[in-house]
Amino acid sequence: MLAKDELPACPVATTVQLIGSKWNLLILRNLLARPWRFNELKRDLEGISQKVLTDSLRSLEEDGIITRTVYPEVPPRVEYALSALGGSMQPIIRAMEQWGLWYQEQVRRQG
């Protein structure tokens, strides 16, 4: 989680700092539905590299947005899920989804 002195003065900038990357938003979109395993996310997020996915998941976990659960199995199973804090972002992501649908419709009507 960001320290108080690391927070931007602007609340919009704070949100962008936490979830503003393309990959973070798409990871959160997936996790809204259910917990995902690393390889599932890798397959679903076309074009993401293993390093970027790893870095994004670590960052989201450090910021308290997602949780990482390791199950004591052989081989180990790891699942990523939204934390309560991450779940509070649902209205933001749903609003982005609705706006995107609206925009797509506008483009279709013009084309």
Side-chain angles (χ1 to χ4, degrees):
M1 199 168 273
L2 295 174
K4 189 169 38 173
D5 61 338
E6 295 175 313
L7 293 173
C10 172
V12 173
T14 299
T15 305
V16 170
Q17 184 172 336
L18 289 170
I19 64 167
S21 83
K22 166 188 171 180
W23 296 118
N24 283 0
L25 283 168
L26 294 177
I27 290 167
L28 293 174
R29 174 206 62 194
N30 284 17
L31 295 179
L32 279 173
R34 62 175 174 83
W36 288 64
R37 294 175 72 174
F38 183 91
N39 285 331
E40 287 180 305
L41 286 167
K42 175 96 172 63
R43 278 191 301 273
D44 192 70
L45 300 172
E46 191 173 315
I48 194 169
S49 71
Q50 184 165 331
K51 180 185 181 338
V52 169
L53 180 55
T54 298
D55 291 347
S56 296
L57 290 169
R58 282 186 186 149
S59 174
L60 289 166
E61 184 181 10
E62 287 171 9
D63 290 333
I65 306 296
I66 66 170
T67 60
R68 179 180 184 266
T69 304
V70 180
Y71 294 92
E73 302 172 353
V74 177
R77 177 171 52 110
V78 178
E79 286 186 344
Y80 296 91
L82 288 179
S83 66
L85 180 63
S88 71
M89 292 182 169
Q90 182 174 359
I92 296 167
I93 295 168
R94 294 291 181 229
M96 292 175 76
E97 177 184 38
Q98 289 303 308
W99 189 88
L101 289 169
W102 175 83
Y103 181 80
Q104 289 173 345
E105 183 60 30
Q106 300 308 306
V107 170
R108 285 186 193 104
R109 287 182 183 170
Q110 293 177 0

